[in-house]
C-alpha cells in the first residue's frame, strides 16, 4: 500500500504525521517492511534520520528514503523502486519546492492521499486554490482515483469533538474529497518528541517517570494509532 501526506501549504503536520504513521504499531502489525519517503528538498526528515543513525537507534522494519531530484525520470523511478521493495510506503509530499508535476505524480501514485487541513479559512482557500486543481487533474486522467482523497482535520483542540470536525468538513469539502474519521489534535509533545532523532515510542520510554509528559505522549500514541487504524479501515473498505 502507498499512502501520502500532502499539502501545498507549509507547516500543517505532514512530516510529523508521516514519521509517526510509519512507526505506528498498527502499521507494523499489518506490514512487514515500511518505507518512509521524504520528497521535500528541505530535508526535515533526512536530518532527523541522520540524528537517529548517529544515536544508534534501531529502526527495525522502517527504512528511510529521501528523493528531491528535479529530474522527472529520477524522481519517478525512485518512487516506483521504493514502492516495489516495501509492503507499505508512507510519503511526505510537499507542494512548494517540489513543483506541481512532482506533487501530481506522487499523489497519483498513492492508494490513499491524506490532506492535513486546519479549520481555518486561509488554509481552506489555499487548499481549494492550490491542491484541489491538482486533484482534479489526477481524477480527470484516472477516474478510478476518485475515492482516494481524504482530508485529515489537524491541530484540532483536544477538547473539540471530532464529530463536529467531520460534520464541518463534510459540509465544505468539494466533490471527490472526503473527511477521514480521525483527527490529529494539537499537542505540545509533537513539537518535542523528535529531539535527537527519537520517535514517539522511544520518547515515551524516556519520559516514563514524568507524569505530565507521560500522559501527553500516551495520548499522542493513541492519536496516531487511531489515525493509522482509520487509514487501514478506509483502504480495506475501498479495496486499495
Ligand atoms: N499535532 C501537533 N500539535 C502541535 N504542534 C505540532 C503538531 N504536529 C506538528 N507540530 C509542529 O508543527 C510544526 C510543523 O509540523 P511539520 O513539520 O510536521 O509540518 P509540515 O507540514 O511537514 O511542514 P513543512 O511544510 O515545513 O514541511 C513543527 O514545528 C511541529 O513540531
Ligand atoms: Mg515537512
Amino acid at each position: 500500500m502507498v499512502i501520502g501526506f500532502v499539502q501545498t501549504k507549509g507547516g500543517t503536520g505532514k512530516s510529523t504525521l508521516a514519521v509517526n504513521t510509519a512507526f505506528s504499531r498498527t502499521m507494523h502489525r499489518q506490514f512487514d517492511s515500511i518505507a518512509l519517503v521524504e520528497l521535500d528538498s528541505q530535508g526535515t526528515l533526512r536530518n532527523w534520520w541522520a540524528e537517529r543513525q548517529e544515536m544508534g537507534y534501531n529502526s527495525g522494519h522502517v527504512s528511510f528514503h529521501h528523493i528531491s531530484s528535479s529530474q522527472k525520470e529520477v524522481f519517478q523511478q525512485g518512487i516506483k523502486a521504493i514502492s516495489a521493495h516495501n509492503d507499505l510506503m508512507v510519503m511526505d509530499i510537499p507542494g512548494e519546492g517540489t513543483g506541481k508535476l512532482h506533487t501530481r505524480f506522487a499523489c497519483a501514485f498513492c492508494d490513499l492521499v491524506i490532506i492535513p487541513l486546519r479549520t481555518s479559512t486561509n488554509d481552506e482557500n489555499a487548499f481549494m486554490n492550490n491542491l484541489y486543481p491538482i486533484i482534479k487533474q489526477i481524477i480527470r486522467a484516472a477516474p478510478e482515483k476518485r475515492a482516494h482523497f481524504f482530508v485529515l482535520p489537524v491541530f484540532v483542540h483536544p477538547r473539540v469533538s471530532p464529530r463536529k470536525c467531520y460534520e464541518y468538513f463534510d459540509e465544505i469539502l468539494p466533490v471527490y474529497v472526503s473527511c477521514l474519521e480521525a483527527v490529529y489534535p494539537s499537542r505540545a509533545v509533537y513539537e518535542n518528541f523528535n529531539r535527537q532523532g527519537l520517535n514517539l515510542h522511544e520518547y515515551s520510554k524516556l519520559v516514563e517517570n514524568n507524569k505530565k509528559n507521560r500522559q501527553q505522549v500516551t495520548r499522542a500514541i493513541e492519536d496516531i494509532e487511531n489515525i493509522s487504524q482509520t487509514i487501514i479501515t478506509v483502504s480495506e473498505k475501498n479495496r486499495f
Side-chain angles (χ1 to χ4, degrees):
M1 181 161 81
V2 181
I3 64 175
F5 291 95
V6 65
Q7 250 300 0
T8 44
K9 192 156 193 299
T12 54
K14 294 179 295 292
S15 302
T16 312
L17 280 161
V19 165
N20 287 318
T21 309
F23 276 99
S24 72
R25 297 199 173 106
T26 304
M27 291 306 183
H28 187 25
R29 272 198 298 274
Q30 293 271 331
F31 303 100
D32 290 336
S33 58
I34 299 178
L36 172 62
V37 182
E38 177 174 54
L39 303 179
D40 197 341
S41 52
Q42 215 180 207
T44 317
L45 298 186
R46 184 172 50 188
N47 296 337
W48 171 80
W49 192 267
E51 278 192 271
R52 274 188 82 65
Q53 290 192 307
E54 247 169 62
M55 300 299 285
Y57 298 128
N58 177 7
S59 298
H61 56 288
V62 180
S63 60
F64 175 75
H65 313 262
H66 177 94
I67 309 175
S68 65
S69 175
S70 56
Q71 279 179 286
K72 186 175 151 205
E73 286 302 313
V74 177
F75 183 85
Q76 300 191 354
Q77 289 306 325
I79 289 179
K80 287 180 191 166
I82 298 163
S83 151
H85 289 100
N86 288 278
D87 300 317
L88 173 68
M89 173 155 100
V90 181
M91 292 196 278
D92 175 3
I93 313 173
E96 289 142 32
T98 316
K100 275 203 173 113
L101 271 180
H102 281 0
T103 301
R104 194 171 74 201
F105 176 83
C107 289
F109 196 81
C110 289
D111 296 307
L112 203 74
V113 176
I114 299 155
I115 305 147
L117 196 62
R118 291 189 195 93
T119 49
S120 108
T121 318
N122 266 351
D123 288 25
E124 289 155 18
N125 289 343
F127 164 69
M128 286 309 290
N129 294 333
N130 302 319
L131 189 54
Y132 190 55
I134 298 176
I135 294 175
K136 282 196 290 190
Q137 283 176 352
I138 294 172
I139 293 171
R140 209 172 298 133
E144 70 278 8
K145 290 272 169 187
R146 265 193 310 252
H148 295 227
F149 298 90
F150 292 87
V151 155
L152 172 65
V154 295
F155 298 95
V156 173
H157 189 283
R159 287 204 207 98
V160 166
S161 138
R163 178 73 33 212
K164 286 248 159 66
C165 290
Y166 313 149
E167 284 168 5
Y168 174 81
F169 277 116
D170 282 340
E171 187 94 348
I172 64 151
L173 286 175
V175 66
Y176 307 137
V177 183
S178 319
C179 185
L180 210 62
E181 295 226 333
V183 294
Y184 179 54
S186 181
R187 302 192 195 279
V189 61
Y190 289 111
E191 296 176 60
N192 304 319
F193 79 89
N194 55 356
R195 300 235 168 102
Q196 294 172 325
L198 290 171
N199 69 24
L200 208 48
H201 299 287
E202 291 149 356
Y203 179 76
S204 142
K205 289 202 189 96
L206 192 77
V207 298
E208 230 162 27
N209 297 324
N210 178 320
K211 195 174 165 212
K212 197 168 155 238
N213 284 353
R214 197 179 60 219
Q215 275 179 348
Q216 275 257 348
V217 77
T218 303
R219 292 201 181 108
I221 289 173
E222 282 169 13
D223 302 335
I224 298 298
E225 298 305 335
N226 184 42
I227 291 168
S228 303
Q229 187 53 55
T230 307
I231 290 171
I232 302 240
T233 306
V234 164
S235 70
E236 280 172 355
K237 207 165 119 197
N238 292 290
R239 297 208 192 85
F240 295 151

